[in-house]
Amino acid sequence: MNLVMNTEILTPVLALVSWSLVMWLWMYATRIPAMGKADIQPDDAKHPGSLNVLPSNVRSVADNYNHLHEQPTIFYALVAYLALSNSADDLAVNLAWAYVIIRIAHSLVQSVGNKVMLRFPVFALSSIVLIVMTARAWMAM
């Protein structure tokens, strides 16, 4: 089977990268004022855990920013594989968009209310999408 490279699969990557940058801005927009309020000097924040004294709502945004550099790395690699192997059909593109939308929802759940019993199923759903995308990639070989 000789498919033409479907670059549409790359647009969800751009969207998730853009969302990660939005979360980066949100993190610093909340973290810097909170550090000032807690009288934490920048050099006091050089070790992991040193900002654990900040309010939970501030830490949740930073935690989510970090989470956007964990599981989504699998998504980025998988999308690159799909694009380079010419395996990105319409369903793959739709699944990629679903993953991005679910990750944005996860960010909002974690950063706004951080209810674990809501956050976990959203995270699990994003994992299921990745599993489906991966299984389809294997089947396309």
Side-chain angles (χ1 to χ4, degrees), residues 6-21 68 72-80 82-83 88-104 129-130 133:
N6 184 351
T7 57
E8 269 186 87
I9 192 75
L10 299 175
T11 308
V13 169
L14 178 61
L16 193 54
V17 167
S18 299
W19 179 253
S20 297
L21 294 173
L68 287 169
T73 61
I74 298 169
F75 171 74
Y76 297 138
L78 181 57
V79 168
L82 292 171
D89 60 8
D90 289 342
L91 181 54
V93 172
N94 289 334
L95 287 168
W97 276 115
Y99 181 79
V100 170
I101 291 165
I102 294 165
R103 287 306 304 205
I104 291 170
V129 171
L130 277 180
M133 289 177 71

Side-chain angles (χ1 to χ4, degrees), residues 120-136:
F120 177 75
V122 176
F123 175 77
L125 185 57
S126 71
S127 300
I128 291 167
V129 171
L130 277 180
I131 291 166
V132 171
M133 289 177 71
T134 303
R136 292 186 80 250

Side-chain angles (χ1 to χ4, degrees), residues 32-53:
I32 292 171
M35 286 176 66
K37 200 172 197 178
D39 198 30
I40 297 172
Q41 299 304 310
D43 279 345
D44 296 337
K46 59 186 164 188
H47 297 292
S50 58
L51 297 179
N52 288 347
V53 298

